[in-house]
């Protein structure tokens, strides 16, 4: 494929950076620092997307992605995964780009790559989902996190203010057909961190507006975003912890996911260290260790999917560690 055609493909397929502006989205503005951070996250995601759809191969994409500052590089890989999944889902030559990325340069970023696939799901017709569905029985649930984030971010009125809930959402490993919404809600919760402008009081109020049986999953998503995307002071994180109330274990579980994703990709930042300390009471390395030790091996889905067993085990172990530290 010629460079000229790849450039055209990039222009045709890449969303506008304007779509990530807080003013465009109508999201809460806490202050200029928060706006700059969140808009940089969004812009970097789209940069990664554009790199993936224009690059000759993943080696070229990797070389360009690695130039992005550490704090935001993970979002670029997430965007790149969406771009590759979009190409896999469209009637274009080749359909194993995401699989080859996960087997290559995308491997250290597997959390973010799976989330990026979920963004593509939200843009592709359902009959094309089979062509991009990740095979990993555990991490494939993160694609639903990405789907939920996309829907809340771009369809905020319906998914956030009207509290729309997905139903009839078949997914591999969900034998009862009732669990997919939980994984999607983690992504919705992650988007609430952006929609609330990283303001803990606003974010907590948004969570409170949903039905109580959705709060645990939403708080997990909030914790993930508060740690990975950052944007809050220690005092604000402590307020967030207080507002989570009985869902502190889920808030910590989300933060532990974020810490693990950053450590495995070599992208640890002082912001993630601070958030993990407040939300988990652990260092990022300790939180990642909890995630690794709790990970089901092999991941076998039963009445409760292995992914949910993993999430609950992480939350329980962090709670036990925190209780032991205060004895």
């Amino acid at each position: 494929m010629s460079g000229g055609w790849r450039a055209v493909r990039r222009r045709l397929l890449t969303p506008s950076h304007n779509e990530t502006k807080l003013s465009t989205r109508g999201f809460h503005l806490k202050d200029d620092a928060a706006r700059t951070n969140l808009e940089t996250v969004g812009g970097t995601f789209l940069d990664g997307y554009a790199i993936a759809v224009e690059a000759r191969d993943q080696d070229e994409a990797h070389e360009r992605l690695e130039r992005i500052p550490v704090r935001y590089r993970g979002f670029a890989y997430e965007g790149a995964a969406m771009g590759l999944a979009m190409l896999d889902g469209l009637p274009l030559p080749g359909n194993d780009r995401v699989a080859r990325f996960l087997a290559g340069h995308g491997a250290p970023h597997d959390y973010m790559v799976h989330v990026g696939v979920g963004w593509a799901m939200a843009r592709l017709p359902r009959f094309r989902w089979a062509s991009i569905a990740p095979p990993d029985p555990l991490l494939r649930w993160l694609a639903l996190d990405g789907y939920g984030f996309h829907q809340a971010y771009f369809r905020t009125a319906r998914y956030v203010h009207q509290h729309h809930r997905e139903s009839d959402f078949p997914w591999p490993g969900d034998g009862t057909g009732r669990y997919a919404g939980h994984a999607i809600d983690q992504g919705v919760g992650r988007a609430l961190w952006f929609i609330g402008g990283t303001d803990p009081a606003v974010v907590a109020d948004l969570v409170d507006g949903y039905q109580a049986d959705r709060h645990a999953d939403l708080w997990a998503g909030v914790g993930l975003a508060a740690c990975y995307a950052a944007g809050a002071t220690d005092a604000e994180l402590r307020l967030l912890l207080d507002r989570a109330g009985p869902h502190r274990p889920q808030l910590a579980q989300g933060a532990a996911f974020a810490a693990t994703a950053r450590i495995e990709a070599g992208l640890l930042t002082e912001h993630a260290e601070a958030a993990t300390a407040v939300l988990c009471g652990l260092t990022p390395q300790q939180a990642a260790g909890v995630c690794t030790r709790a990970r089901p091996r092999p991941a076998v889905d039963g009445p409760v999917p292995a992914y949910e067993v993993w999430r609950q085990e992480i939350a329980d172990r962090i709670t036990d560690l925190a209780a032991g530290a205060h004895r």
Side-chain angles (χ1 to χ4, degrees):
M1 182 180 294
S2 71
W5 166 242
R6 290 196 304 271
V8 170
R9 185 172 71 181
R10 168 181 172 154
R11 288 195 297 271
L12 290 175
L13 293 179
T14 306
S16 167
H17 276 62
N18 189 55
E19 291 300 307
T20 67
K21 301 295 186 184
L22 266 64
S23 58
T24 301
R25 304 254 55 86
F27 294 169
H28 175 72
L29 175 61
K30 182 177 72 174
D31 54 39
D32 286 340
R35 175 173 57 193
T36 297
N37 178 45
L38 294 179
E39 291 182 351
T40 302
V41 167
T44 305
F45 177 97
L46 292 181
D47 289 342
Y49 181 106
I51 287 169
V53 300
E54 185 179 20
R56 287 190 306 273
D57 52 37
Q58 68 163 295
D59 288 339
E60 179 185 333
H62 173 70
E63 192 276 329
R64 294 172 64 184
L65 290 168
E66 288 296 302
R67 299 176 194 167
I68 293 170
V70 166
R71 180 172 179 178
Y72 300 104
R73 193 179 302 161
F75 299 105
Y77 274 89
E78 182 184 1
M82 180 191 177
L84 295 174
M86 288 293 294
L87 294 176
D88 281 348
L90 293 173
L92 296 170
N95 61 355
D96 61 348
R97 296 171 182 84
V98 173
R100 285 187 281 113
F101 195 49
L102 280 169
H105 294 304
H109 308 272
D110 55 357
Y111 279 66
M112 304 303 282
V113 171
H114 282 82
V115 170
V117 169
W119 278 69
M121 288 169 54
R123 297 289 177 105
L124 292 168
R126 285 200 180 193
F127 74 87
R128 296 299 299 166
W129 287 4
S131 64
I132 65 170
D136 188 297
L138 194 64
L139 296 186
R140 66 186 172 200
W141 292 98
L142 290 172
L144 297 189
D145 179 306
Y147 175 89
F149 183 99
H150 177 283
Q151 299 300 72
Y153 190 93
F154 288 104
R155 304 178 68 185
T156 309
R158 188 177 190 211
Y159 280 79
V160 178
H161 303 308
Q162 298 170 19
H163 306 128
H164 174 72
R165 193 174 204 167
E166 294 287 358
S167 60
D168 187 26
F169 203 102
W171 192 249
D174 189 6
T176 66
R178 299 174 183 172
Y179 182 73
H182 293 275
I184 291 170
D185 271 353
Q186 180 174 276
V188 172
R190 199 160 52 86
L192 295 182
W193 186 247
F194 288 71
I195 295 162
T198 77
D199 186 321
V202 174
V203 173
D205 287 345
L206 288 171
V207 173
D208 287 347
Y210 288 82
Q211 288 181 261
D213 65 342
R214 303 179 69 179
H215 289 181
D217 298 307
L218 294 170
W219 276 113
V222 170
L224 208 164
C227 184
Y228 201 98
T233 65
D234 284 1
E236 289 174 327
L237 290 169
R238 286 191 289 271
L239 174 59
L240 193 70
L241 191 66
D242 182 64
R243 288 292 302 270
H247 299 299
R248 287 183 178 188
Q250 288 75 34
L251 184 71
Q253 175 261 303
F257 263 11
T260 303
R262 280 202 172 274
I263 285 176
E264 290 185 354
L267 302 178
L268 186 60
T269 65
E270 61 181 18
H271 305 88
E273 290 188 90
T276 311
V278 174
L279 302 181
C280 299
L282 303 171
T283 66
Q285 293 79 7
Q286 289 171 327
V290 169
C291 291
T292 299
R293 290 188 295 273
R295 185 169 182 159
R297 299 179 189 276
V300 179
D301 294 315
V304 177
Y307 178 72
E308 178 59 19
V309 172
W310 188 30
R311 293 174 69 205
Q312 291 178 0
E313 184 67 17
I314 292 168
D316 290 345
R317 292 190 184 200
I318 292 177
T319 299
D320 289 346
L321 287 169
H326 287 90
R327 285 179 189 146

